[in-house]
Amino acid sequence: MVNLGRRRMRGERRRKLHLSKIYSFACGKQSLKEDHSQIGGRGYSRVVFCNEPESFEAGIRSYADNSVSSTKYNLATFLPKSLFEQFRRVANFFFLVTGILAFTKLAPYTAVSAILPLIIIIGATMIKEGIEDWRRKQQDIEVNSRRVKVHTGQGTFEYTEWKNLKVGHIVKIMKDEFFPADLLLLSSSYEDAFCYVETMNLDGETNLKLKQGLEVTSSLHEDFQFSDFQATIKCEDPNANLYSFVGSMEYKEQQYPLSPLQLLLRDSKLRNTDYIFGAVIFTGHDTKVIQNSTDAPSKRTKVEKKMDRVVYFMFCIVFLMAFVGSIFFGITTKDDLDNGLMKRWYLRPDDSTIFFDPKRAPAAAIFHFFTALMLYGFFIPISLYVSIEIVKVLQSIFINQDIHMYYEDADKPSYARTSNLNEELGQVDTILSDKTGTLTCNTMEFIKCSIAGVAYGRGVTEVERSLDSKNGSTLIDDTRDSPVRNVPIKGFNFTDERIMNGKWVNEPYANVIKNFFHLLAICHTALPEVDEDTGNVSYETESPDELAFVIAAREIGFKFYKRTQTSLSIYELNPVSGDKIERTYKLLNVLEFNSTRKRMSVIVKDEEGRILLLCKGADSVMFERLAKDGREFEEKTLEHVHEYSDAGLRTLILAYRELDENQYKEFDNNFSQAKNSVSEDRETLIEEVSEKIERNLILLGATAVEDKLQNGVPDCIDKLSQAGIKIWVLTGDKMETAINIGFACSLLRQGMKQIIIQLESPEIQALEKAGDKVAIVKACRENIRHQISEAAQQITASRGTSQQAFALIIDGKSLAYALEDNMKKMFLDLATRCASVICCRSSPKQKALVTRLVKSATGKTTLAIGDGANDVGMLQEADIGIGISGVEGMQAVMSSDIAIAQFCYLERLLLVHGHWCYRRISSMICYFFYKNITFGFTLFLYEVYASFSGQPAYNDWFLSVYNIFFSSLPVIALGVFDQDVSARYCLRFPMLYQEGVQNLLFSWRRIFSWMLNGFISAIIIFFFCTKAMEIQAFDEKGRTAGRDILGATMYTCVVWVVNLQMAVAINYFTLIQHIFIWGSVAIWYLFLLAYGAMSPTISGNAYKVFVETLAPSPSFWFVTLVVVISALIPYFSYSAIQMRFFPMYHEMVQWVRYEGKTNDPEFVAMVRQGSLRPTTVGSTARLAAKDNDLKDIMELLTGSSQAESDVAYIHLVMEWCTQPNHHLDVKACHLAKQAFDEAIAELDTLSEESYKEHFDHAAFERQPDTLDL
Amino acid sequence: MASSSAAGAGSTDPAAARRNTKRPKYSKFTQQELPACKPILTPRAVISAFLLVSIVFVPIGVASLIASRKVVEIVFRYESTCIPNNVTDKVAYIQSSADKTCNITLHVNKHMKSPIHVYYQLDNFYQNHRRYVKSRSDEQLRDRSEENSTSTCKPEDTANGKAIVPCGLIAWSLFNDTYSFSRVNQSLKVNKEGISWKSDREHKFGKDVFPRNFQSSAIKGGASLNESIPLSKQEDLIVWMRTAALPTFRKLYGRIEEDLNEGDSINVILKNNYNTYSFNGKKKLVLSTTSWLGGKNDFLGIAYLTVGGLCFFLALSFTIVYFVKPRQLGDPSYLSWNMNPGGH
């Protein structure tokens, strides 16, 4: 109750705000557009009767209701639709056809036994589909049954579920609620029907958007006023365009035009506004957001695509075998009747059906072909697809359950939204990453400032820290973690005893400092929210930068706490007396920020009556606006600004100006004129007026805000690049920021040659001024082509000479040309030769295009990771889209394949889960083909001895349950649980990941080897069994072995061999594996017992075959033993040799583990380092490069005189320092010098020998974080 | 490693205990850290596995070879011997109604302990042909009331409009050579009881099902059956109807339950009725004793010895190779991607 009361009070206060007075740009009157004439016509036919959804008129239009459905099926369509989906798979269709054929006389086995496995398999898949769809249904239900207040007549609003909303309903949305449908804004808690909307779910932008209702309805503030509200809205039909809306409202017999400004879109959120009233216009699937949603493209992994090819290959083998068999069958059948004489008279060839008729041998052969297809169909593992699906679902449960990928702070575990891309995670070649919100947290921290030419702020930026730790020196004192620091304040990471706690008054330019923070406290559009119990103030702002500023001002002692329509109030802490002084500024104008202006200003009148223009903006626009006498600190500030941006910080310049009354009056007149103009160029007019007043500013200083890197990003990038994964950064940010972040993440490093492609050359700019579009395009294209080819030459030239690494940085404008059809190959060629690629200022579409280019042109697996709606295209385009479930809404997550909470979890996701899943799936598929070839080929071999008549060697039911009972569970266990090496080792030896990237485990060679193994096993099983049981007595009683006994024995051998083969092949035996493998063998014997005990009608020739014939006979057991062991010997010997003499990388790691050499750093280092490619990115590479350079210095130094070494040193440093575009040149030079000094000092004290030892040791010691896991 | 994986990992934050958290529950299973045995093929493991196999296999091989060698077997091929020399068209001869009795003498070279199993062996006879295998009616064989269920038996389903019992090609082509043995004018009784599997006699061939209308169709196939004996007692038929797996097969004919001594001559009066001449099949008469492992076949013993020997050889060569050419383990320069570097 208390809360409610307070809210109401605040609402009352706020309602008095006429926000339209503050804002001058985005929200004035919309000019009438021509579109309005189309209302009522084609495409603009919607009529909404507000507040009477049940009326007759509304009834005939019967617009869709507000329930949404994302399900694929419903009760009626489930069966046909999902069956159709199933049988679209070639293998399943094949089995369907053979299943149907099994009901004809062609069948070599009974129809039921053929169709039953298919039913089980299809059933299982359909159940899975059903469950997935059911989950979607649940989600829909959850959304559909959210509650919203809707007008029920007589001015009462009652809660109802979203799905019950109808077009025409009046709804009341409270603060922080989502809009249930597309609404027409009628009024809000603010006087002039303003409201703030967060559209994160739509476009990913965190800025709050302003919407304003029509003036005529803005007075409807109370519930009861709606009891007799009536209006008719005519507008466009549902469409997907988020940013346009055309319509008109008839209210009190007058027409009012409507614009997007009045439209509140479904799934956006009401912010900073207590409530709004709105009329429902579009519901459910008619809403713009749902019209906009496209089905996520269905992605298939490379392994699966290859598997399909293997399946086709198997089909070829099957067809070939069937063909060969049919020919032989045809010949022998034809032979049976020789001039009317029967040869094999016992077959009665004279009186035969078409299937065996010698007189129609070709026909018989053709029919036999189908029979053979059915029989050899066992080559195709029927349960392959369903097993893989089951396995993948289980694998993704493991991903979801991984506690190492759970983000405590946000309470977010990782979430695999699609399970079918698991193994692709193990094959990623290129990562395309967003920057903001992905590499960085998208929280801004006020960290440094330069006031009056003095730099304040002792905070250490992530970039500095990263460099610092990698350099291994303690160049910068890290004060952040010092215990003095109390509870961290979000957005504020500023420590400087000189100005904190009121000490600023003692500084030489105290007045400037005061103005500086006044400006920060006043020049913004933030809304304060006072917690009345504690007196703490929090702010709601449009951008995180702004939030950081107000908070900084608050922390220094200039607390902004109240905003009224016309004034801003701050408390100023008087440092001397400790009193709080309240200051109120009269707010006269706000000149808003936009991307062309790159600055914002406010004009205020302070208590003394001075009129001040306070302005903050980017350095590029601010310095030119300074007054002659305002440039006192320009030089120093400029220097600081460069320093800050070198450290990866965002900077803004602060300046102010005092206006006299006349100046202001003149401006105010012009400004209101411009504001009230209705012409097209209204915005330009306003801009011009603002431009004129924002001049002659006096510089105060600059702020530096850190765009914080996420936890562990540099380490993660280091690991990923050690794994040989290329990382591209695609960001919308500007080049400087992108490069800074690149340095922070070790994507760029000193000594890396930066190739920067941009269109900033003077000629282009001159052309742009001239404005000839065709000429610009042509010149740009030529320019880019030239730049690319030059860069390529540079790389070619440097190849072989050194380990020079290149980085490519390209901006969006150039990218547009580079991505053109005739240039993209060149561009990609260049990009792939660079160690890291950064695309800045790129649009969402360009991100998607780059992704597509990399994916299609290199044919390698790409992974896109991002968090915002601007990354959606990229996520959907890439082979795998990873969404960061961070702050920027859910749009990216909803269109991603896997959602994780932090970028650094990518390391575990790829190196551990990806590697495992890839390994599991590929081993599983290989094994599947192995086991089915082993089984199927024994059938074929038997055919050879049964004159290809199509008689299977085994009992019908043995045939049909093979894939289901005796061989499926172990292979699923393999797919779910197998680990070549544990997670710890996966992370420790990132190079292991290359097995997936290079597809070593699912190469044709490996597939064919397994197939060959299958053929060998089958041959051994068949010939050993037949030779051993051939003709002689089978047991002591002298009875011989018939078809039943030989079949059962061979089958036993097959079951044993495939299961033991599994046991030999896997590396990881948990109890589950034991149960499944030995269980499968045990099930076979149990099955044999149970099946044999059934009446002979069912069991046929398997009746009592085990108890009566097999079990009592020693030869059965001895044959099994010898066959099983012999069939395993080839594989066992092969893998023993491979393991010892040609181990693959994972086997080496196994050796390392097995031999307990994990603590032998030298050995481990050899295994790890030996396979690193020379040029790569990441901190390890940076370190290595640095060591190399130091070694070069040392080589130059040792054995040369002092003078020579001086020359060498200067030469080297010069080389380093003269590299163009090197943002950290100063630091690099500094480091080089320091290293040099150290080395000299060491050389002085140590002999040469001991120096070398020392140096190696030192180099080694510097890696503890990478060595010690 | 001051990295990411530590971030979410070991945090024992009190917040973790908070309810409604989405924090995955920790268990060894969900974290894939189940205790597991991770065998790798170390030299020692490989060599001991091979040695173990050879140690087990060689004795088994020796034992089964001995068992096989102990079996005494007399094989007599007679399909050409029992045709008079003047016959040129063997098929016509065999199909004629002439007396096809044939006298042969078998010499016992080694003492044969009773029971001595008598087999006939056919060659190139496809009892496993699909048409043949399917051409029977299990219902009819088992159940008197199912006499007319002969649909699977074509073309030997009916004769003269009535169902044939037992129907089908298998029964129709029943082997009909007969053998009677005598030793120095003293006849040797051939016991034909118990030559079939018990389950067949008791469950597959009815005690109240009698042959009817058998071998009465236009073409006579093989043996006729005594219509007064139920199928469950017709053991020759039962044996015949358990079809052989391969085109060369032996079937038990009966047992001689007397020892045969070394040097004995056995006279066999053989009725050579069965037509194998159409398809060039061989016919053999086999007298054989058995061991615990069955009849005479060296294959199993040799297989065991070979595999055992091979394993021993492998164990030996692995040992030598491991000693002679120890390789520095974990040398990554052998990796495929180091041999042909790609990438950047």
Side-chain angles (χ1 to χ4, degrees), chain A residues 834-846:
Chain A
C834 291
S836 48
V837 180
I838 296 176
C839 305
C840 32
R841 284 253 169 264
S842 45
S843 66
K845 181 140 185 248
Q846 283 179 333

Side-chain angles (χ1 to χ4, degrees), chain A residues 1242-1262:
Chain A
E1242 271 164 17
L1243 270 180
D1244 286 349
T1245 51
L1246 300 166
S1247 75
E1248 219 165 276
E1249 275 305 298
S1250 62
Y1251 146 68
K1252 273 207 160 165
E1253 264 178 44
H1254 183 80
F1255 184 82
D1256 286 347
H1257 183 64
F1260 213 74
E1261 257 188 344
R1262 219 168 287 153

Side-chain angles (χ1 to χ4, degrees), chain A residues 105-108 342-348 350-352 356 371 398 401-404 406 408 411 413 715 719 726 904 907 913 916 920 942 945-947 949-951 977 979 991 998 1000 1024 1027-1028 1031-1033 1035-1040 1042-1044 1046 1067-1070 1072 1097 1100 1103 1108-1109 1114-1115 1118-1119 1121-1122 1125-1126 1129 1132-1133 1135-1137 1139-1141 1143 1145 1148 1150-1151 1153-1155 1163 1166-1167 1170-1171 1173 1175 1265 1268-1269, chain B residues 1-2 4-5 8-9 11 20-24 26 29-32 34-43 46 49-50 53 57 60 117 119 121 124-126 128-134 142 155-156 169 172-173 195-199 203-204 219 242-248 250 252 255 274-275 278-279 290-297 299-300 304 307 311 314 318 321-322 325 327-332 335-338 342-344:
Chain A
K105 285 233 160 118
L106 286 170
M342 290 186 278
K343 272 193 166 169
R344 293 190 291 186
W345 56 270
Y346 51 91
L347 295 176
R348 283 299 295 274
D350 60 321
D351 182 6
S352 183
F356 301 101
T371 309
F398 277 135
Q401 289 289 319
D402 193 333
I403 212 154
H404 297 289
Y406 166 73
E408 193 87 56
D411 190 28
D715 276 320
K719 273 278 157 59
K726 288 165 223 155
C904 61
E907 173 184 340
H913 289 283
W916 279 348
R920 288 166 181 173
Y942 185 74
Y945 287 83
S947 67
S949 61
Q951 178 59 36
F977 302 110
Q979 301 179 359
M991 207 59 195
Q998 311 203 0
L1000 294 181
F1024 274 41
K1027 287 292 163 212
I1031 47 169
Q1032 87 285 7
D1035 60 5
E1036 214 176 347
K1037 294 263 171 62
R1039 288 167 295 210
T1040 53
R1043 230 167 40 79
D1044 49 343
L1046 184 73
N1067 310 300
Y1068 188 74
F1069 268 102
T1070 63
I1072 299 166
T1097 339
Y1103 179 66
E1108 189 184 19
T1109 59
S1115 59
F1118 282 119
V1119 168
L1121 180 66
V1122 73
I1125 299 295
S1126 323
I1129 286 177
F1132 189 78
S1133 316
S1135 48
I1137 292 169
M1139 182 78 191
R1140 183 72 190 185
F1141 300 103
Y1145 198 75
M1148 282 182 209
Q1150 286 171 354
W1151 278 116
R1153 189 205 75 221
Y1154 176 78
E1155 304 205 326
F1163 188 77
M1166 185 187 73
V1167 173
S1171 53
R1173 278 176 261 183
T1175 309
D1265 60 328
D1268 173 41
L1269 282 115
Chain B
M1 188 183 74
S4 51
S5 57
S11 49
N20 281 335
T21 169
K22 286 182 196 150
R23 183 190 177 87
Y26 176 85
F29 179 77
T30 57
Q31 300 310 309
Q32 311 194 53
L34 285 177
C37 145
K38 303 168 190 163
I40 66 169
L41 296 174
T42 58
V46 172
F50 279 130
V53 170
F57 271 32
I60 296 179
H117 305 276
Y119 301 92
Q121 176 176 339
N124 204 18
F125 189 103
Y126 286 88
N128 58 8
H129 194 281
R130 185 155 66 100
R131 177 171 164 83
Y132 190 79
V133 170
K134 297 257 187 289
R142 187 167 53 239
E156 290 299 329
L169 289 173
W172 175 71
S173 60
I195 55 173
S196 61
W197 296 100
K198 197 170 148 223
S199 63
H203 299 280
K204 288 189 180 165
I219 310 170
R242 206 172 245 234
T243 49
L246 299 168
T248 304
R250 280 179 195 173
L252 196 53
R255 295 192 185 95
Y274 203 68
N275 177 12
S278 296
F279 51 88
T290 55
S291 66
W292 56 273
L293 201 57
K296 190 175 189 71
N297 187 348
F299 180 81
L300 197 58
Y304 266 103
V307 174
C311 284
L314 284 173
F318 269 100
V321 172
Y322 287 146
K325 204 178 161 238
R327 180 163 172 271
Q328 176 69 60
L329 287 175
D331 182 352
L335 287 174
S336 59
W337 63 71
N338 279 344
H344 298 290

Side-chain angles (χ1 to χ4, degrees), chain A residues 230-250:
Chain A
Q230 278 204 337
T232 309
I233 297 162
K234 290 184 179 161
C235 65
E236 60 185 17
D237 289 340
N239 62 50
N241 195 340
L242 286 178
Y243 303 107
S244 85
F245 176 69
V246 176
S248 71
M249 182 166 82
E250 195 185 315

Side-chain angles (χ1 to χ4, degrees), chain A residues 569-766:
Chain A
S569 302
I570 59 170
Y571 283 126
E572 189 183 318
L573 205 66
N574 186 333
V576 186
S577 61
D579 294 341
K580 272 206 267 188
I581 309 164
E582 186 175 340
R583 278 177 197 275
T584 305
Y585 290 84
K586 200 167 167 225
L587 183 65
L588 299 174
N589 295 93
V590 177
L591 311 178
E592 266 181 273
F593 179 88
N594 72 28
S595 54
T596 48
R597 280 162 47 79
K598 290 185 179 168
R599 61 185 181 270
M600 88 161 276
S601 312
V602 293
I603 302 175
V604 291
K605 192 182 223 174
D606 70 3
E607 284 163 332
E608 287 104 62
R610 288 187 304 171
I611 298 173
L612 298 170
L613 181 138
L614 308 176
C615 183
K616 61 179 196 224
D619 49 1
S620 58
V621 296
M622 290 299 283
F623 281 110
E624 64 194 37
R625 305 188 170 274
L626 296 182
K628 277 211 181 85
D629 54 348
R631 293 175 183 264
E632 192 182 346
F633 317 115
E634 188 183 359
E635 207 172 307
K636 278 275 176 189
T637 311
L638 199 60
E639 195 179 295
H640 291 151
V641 166
H642 281 302
E643 227 169 77
Y644 293 155
S645 59
D646 273 350
L649 302 174
R650 295 185 181 212
T651 55
L652 279 183
I653 307 296
L654 307 190
Y656 78 104
R657 171 184 186 190
E658 244 185 271
L659 301 170
D660 58 42
E661 280 293 331
N662 294 336
Q663 273 174 322
Y664 177 68
K665 268 212 180 105
E666 192 195 334
F667 162 77
D668 198 35
N669 279 341
N670 292 343
F671 192 62
S672 12
Q673 236 172 45
K675 248 172 99 173
N676 293 332
S677 79
V678 286
S679 61
E680 282 289 315
D681 49 355
R682 176 174 164 273
E683 303 255 320
T684 349
L685 276 177
I686 296 177
E687 222 164 278
E688 269 170 24
V689 177
S690 318
E691 173 104 33
K692 271 186 199 147
I693 197 84
E694 289 168 330
R695 273 169 199 230
N696 296 325
L697 303 172
I698 297 162
L699 180 67
L700 288 171
T703 56
V705 168
E706 184 182 14
D707 187 1
K708 275 196 74 187
L709 277 187
Q710 283 192 8
N711 258 343
V713 165
D715 276 320
C716 175
I717 288 185
D718 182 36
K719 273 278 157 59
L720 293 177
S721 55
Q722 277 188 54
I725 304 171
K726 288 165 223 155
I727 298 165
W728 292 29
V729 176
L730 311 179
T731 173
D733 248 319
K734 43 182 193 283
M735 187 172 278
E736 295 76 31
T737 330
I739 291 177
N740 287 334
I741 293 296
F743 272 100
C745 313
S746 294
L747 281 172
L748 304 177
R749 63 163 187 269
Q750 309 143 20
M752 197 183 237
K753 183 99 178 61
Q754 291 178 15
I755 299 167
I756 295 184
I757 296 182
Q758 56 184 0
L759 285 170
E760 302 288 307
S761 67
E763 312 95 76
I764 304 282
Q765 276 165 345

Side-chain angles (χ1 to χ4, degrees), chain B residues 78-98:
Chain B
Y78 65 87
E79 89 278 351
S80 45
T81 331
C82 283
I83 298 274
N85 288 335
N86 52 358
V87 172
T88 48
D89 187 352
K90 291 175 184 169
V91 178
Y93 168 78
I94 205 81
Q95 282 171 341
S96 70
S97 52

Side-chain angles (χ1 to χ4, degrees), chain A residues 196-266:
Chain A
Y196 287 91
V197 172
E198 184 190 270
T199 55
M200 208 149 53
N201 284 350
L202 302 178
D203 52 16
E205 292 177 25
T206 40
N207 299 3
L208 299 184
K209 307 245 158 53
L210 270 165
K211 298 276 178 176
Q212 188 182 21
L214 293 179
E215 227 177 304
V216 283
T217 56
S218 61
S219 58
L220 301 162
H221 287 304
E222 296 300 332
D223 292 3
F224 66 84
Q225 289 173 295
F226 284 91
S227 59
D228 53 358
F229 172 79
Q230 278 204 337
T232 309
I233 297 162
K234 290 184 179 161
C235 65
E236 60 185 17
D237 289 340
N239 62 50
N241 195 340
L242 286 178
Y243 303 107
S244 85
F245 176 69
V246 176
S248 71
M249 182 166 82
E250 195 185 315
Y251 181 57
K252 296 190 176 156
E253 278 154 31
Q254 225 174 331
Q255 289 278 349
Y256 300 95
L258 299 175
S259 70
L261 198 60
Q262 283 87 42
L263 192 67
L264 305 174
L265 297 176
R266 185 188 167 116

